[in-house]
Structure formats: C-alpha cells, structure tokens
C-alpha cells in the first residue's frame, strides 16, 4: 500500500498573516503532501509520526496539530511549519484510541476533541501548554458524533451525527439542532466562513440503491442543497475558497468540485491514492 494511507485533509485558511502556496494538505503516515488547485507543490516529512488519525491547523502560529496513533499509545502533537519541530502535548498509553477528531479555534486558542459522543475543549494558551486528561466537557450527545468543525467568526462549534447537525457556543451554551434528518450514515463536516456555508456527506438508500451525496446549507441550516450525487461512498470533505474536495473510497482518490453551489458543475479527480480519513479546516476572513 502507498505511504499515502491518508488520514488527514485540510482546507486552506484565508485572511491571516501567512501567505500560502497551497490550498489543501494531505497527511500520510509520515508525510504532509501540499496541493494547490489540484497540483502537488511540495512534501514535508514528519519522522516522529506513525499513523496520523486527525489533523487541524493553526493559521496564526503557522502550525499543524495532529493525533498520532500506534499500537502502544495515542499522542496529540504540534508540528511547527516554520521550524519543522514537533512537540507532543498529550499522550495516552493505551491501545484504545481516546483522541478521535480534533478542530482548532485560533482566536480563543481552544482545541476541540471529539471522543465518541462527547466533545471536549482544551486551552492552548502557549506552545508549552500541557493538556489535562479529557479537558472541559462541552457537548454530551445522545448520538455518536461523526465529525466536528469550528466557526471562528460566529463563535460556534458544529458537530454531525447520523441523525442531526447541531451547533453550540464554545462553552456548550445556546445549543441548537440545525439539520434534523436521519440517514444511513453521515461522514465529515466542513464550515466555510467566507460564504457562511457548511458542507457534509450523506449516505442514503433509495429504491434499494445506496448513494452518496454532497450536501450544503447556510450555517443556520437554511437553503439546503444537494451539490453532487455518486454511487461511490466518500469518507471526508474539505472546502477551500475555490473548491470543494472529498475522498472517494471506491476509486481511492480525492475529487474536487468548483465551489459554486451548483450541482451541474463537473467534477475532477486530482490524485490517486488510498486514504483512510480526511478532515476539513475552518476558514476565517471575518
């Protein structure tokens, strides 16, 4: 199998101090592969990584935060894109993964971590901050949480289950269901703060046929649209200012669709590889 058993997928954040030559980065076991408009630009090695299970981005500190899994423990580490240095801030000595999905909010320096049906928050006020076990409980859901996303501009954490899409303030207050429709399963959630849209993947069954659909809606759940339909299942979605990206499990590739809110726009496959998990980043240009 290729080294790009990819477990992380980031959409570019816009409106911060750094200028980027890429709009997504795909994380392999020990590599970060950067792409711009579907073209590979460069690769950076993370020698200390074994299996990256989730990854998020700090645009102010210009660093990647990722979960690394192996058969002995699970760690949460920070990779400085300027210096190439890695700092581990949390470690679980267990074969059972306790850290599953992470999303970073750069303004408050809060790191949100999904564990099963719960979402916790940790403060990363400095590069040397140590994470206490589990942190602060923000959300306790009755349903298994599939993915989380952060809206820095609005000040909300979003999460997705097979039944609902919900949001709440960073402290868990003002909780609200914004999409209420049960499907076979849902995977991944992306928030685009430029357009005030959210995107996700639904798997449905109609007339004895399973199909995958790329869905979108306003951040309050209104103006829901179906952007793309395929019989090939997808596992994750990410959004940049120009494109919507998703992983196609059946064809083992990443596809891009122009971010035009139009289901008739053609898709394009940008890379062939075998991926495991892709996660979107939030975008803030408020």
């Amino acid at each position: 199998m290729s080294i790009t058993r990819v477990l992380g997928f980031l959409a570019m954040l816009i409106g911060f101090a750094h200028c980027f030559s890429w709009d997504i980065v795909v994380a392999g076991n020990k590599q970060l592969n950067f792409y711009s408009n579907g073209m590979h630009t460069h690769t950076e090695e993370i020698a200390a990584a074994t299996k990256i299970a989730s990854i998020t981005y700090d645009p102010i500190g210009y660093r990647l935060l990722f979960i690394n899994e192996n058969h002995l423990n699970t760690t949460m580490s920070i990779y400085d894109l300027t210096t190439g240095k890695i700092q581990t801030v949390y470690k679980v000595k267990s074969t059972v993964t306790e850290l599953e999905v992470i999303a970073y909010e750069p303004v408050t320096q809060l790191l949100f971590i999904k564990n099963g049906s719960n979402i916790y928050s940790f403060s990363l006020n400095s590069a040397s901050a140590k994470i206490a076990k589990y942190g602060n409980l923000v959300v306790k859901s009755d349903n298994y949480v599939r993915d989380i996303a952060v809206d820095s501009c609005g000040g909300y954490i979003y999460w997705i289950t097979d039944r609902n899409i919900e949001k709440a303030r960073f402290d868990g207050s003002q909780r609200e269901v914004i999409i209420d429709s049960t499907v076979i399963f849902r995977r991944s959630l992306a928030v685009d703060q430029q357009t005030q849209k959210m995107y996700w993947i639904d798997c449905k069954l109609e007339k004895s046929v399973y199909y995958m659909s790329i869905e979108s809606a306003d951040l309050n759940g209104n103006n829901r649209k179906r952007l793309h339909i395929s019989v090939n299942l997808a596992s994750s979605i990410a959004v940049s200012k120009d494109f919507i990206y998703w992983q196609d499990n059946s064809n083992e590739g990443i596809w891009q669709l122009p971010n035009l809110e139009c289901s008739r726009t053609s898709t394009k496959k940008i890379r062939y590889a075998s991926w495991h998990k892709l996660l979107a980043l939030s975008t803030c240009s408020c």
Side-chain angles (χ1 to χ4, degrees):
M1 179 177 289
S2 164
I3 190 172
T4 51
R5 283 187 62 205
V6 176
L7 306 172
F9 181 20
L10 311 181
M12 185 176 100
L13 284 88
I14 300 177
F16 292 95
H18 296 283
C19 179
F20 308 106
S21 60
W22 48 270
D23 54 8
I24 61 169
V25 56
V26 178
N29 289 343
K30 292 180 178 292
Q31 286 185 330
L32 299 174
N33 292 290
F34 294 81
Y35 293 84
S36 176
N37 193 21
M39 301 296 294
H40 183 261
T41 61
H42 65 287
T43 298
E44 295 192 24
E45 299 285 339
I46 304 183
T50 302
K51 180 183 177 184
I52 299 176
S54 180
I55 189 166
T56 187
Y57 179 57
D58 173 13
I60 297 176
Y62 197 46
R63 57 187 185 171
L64 296 172
L65 299 87
F66 65 92
I67 294 174
N68 181 49
E69 298 177 1
N70 60 43
H71 66 285
L72 296 176
N73 55 57
T74 299
T75 60
M76 207 293 288
S77 301
I78 298 173
Y79 176 70
D80 191 307
L81 286 166
T82 302
T83 65
K85 294 182 178 180
I86 296 178
Q87 177 190 13
T88 297
V89 295
Y90 185 64
K91 178 182 289 187
V92 179
K93 293 184 178 180
S94 173
T95 56
V96 179
T97 302
E98 295 188 15
L99 309 179
E100 296 178 331
V101 176
I102 55 176
Y104 185 66
E105 201 294 296
V107 178
T108 59
Q109 299 184 55
L110 286 176
L111 179 70
F112 293 92
I113 296 183
K114 181 207 74 96
N115 181 359
S117 298
N118 298 330
I119 301 173
Y120 301 87
S121 69
F122 302 93
S123 177
L124 291 181
N125 289 323
S126 68
S128 60
K130 297 294 182 181
I131 296 178
K133 187 174 179 64
Y134 294 118
N136 299 314
L137 179 63
V138 176
V139 171
K140 186 174 180 62
S141 174
D142 294 331
N143 302 293
Y144 185 81
V145 176
R146 296 284 185 178
D147 201 3
I148 57 178
V150 173
D151 173 16
S152 295
C153 301
Y156 285 95
I157 176 78
Y158 288 75
W159 65 96
I160 185 170
T161 70
D162 291 342
R163 181 177 297 276
N164 299 326
I165 300 178
E166 301 184 52
K167 70 176 183 178
R169 290 293 183 183
F170 295 155
D171 61 359
S173 64
Q174 298 182 35
R175 182 170 174 176
E176 179 183 358
V177 176
I178 53 178
I179 297 290
D180 183 6
S181 58
T182 301
V183 295
I184 302 300
F185 63 79
R186 288 191 171 101
R187 288 180 175 175
S188 196
L189 177 67
V191 168
D192 183 357
Q193 292 168 119
Q194 292 186 106
T195 60
Q196 292 292 286
K197 298 282 186 180
M198 60 180 177
Y199 300 83
W200 70 95
I201 298 168
D202 277 355
C203 178
K204 300 180 180 180
L205 175 65
E206 290 185 3
K207 297 180 179 179
S208 301
V209 176
Y210 290 94
Y211 70 91
M212 175 274 297
S213 64
I214 304 295
E215 307 274 333
S216 75
D218 296 340
L219 293 181
N220 58 9
N222 296 330
N223 298 315
R224 183 171 176 178
K225 294 181 180 180
R226 181 175 296 172
L227 305 180
H228 181 75
I229 299 175
S230 173
V231 295
N232 297 329
L233 298 181
S235 65
S236 194
I237 193 169
V239 181
S240 73
K241 68 181 181 66
D242 296 317
F243 294 101
I244 303 165
Y245 299 92
W246 68 91
Q247 174 201 346
D248 184 334
N249 290 352
S250 301
N251 291 321
E252 298 184 326
I254 289 178
W255 291 77
Q256 68 180 26
L257 175 71
N259 192 359
L260 299 174
E261 288 291 306
C262 177
S263 60
R264 296 187 298 274
T265 305
S266 61
T267 61
K268 176 185 177 183
K269 191 173 185 178
I270 67 171
R271 181 177 171 86
Y272 179 87
S274 179
W275 283 280
H276 177 76
K277 192 172 186 181
L278 303 118
L279 296 171
L281 290 179
S282 61
T283 306
C284 190
S285 56
C286 29

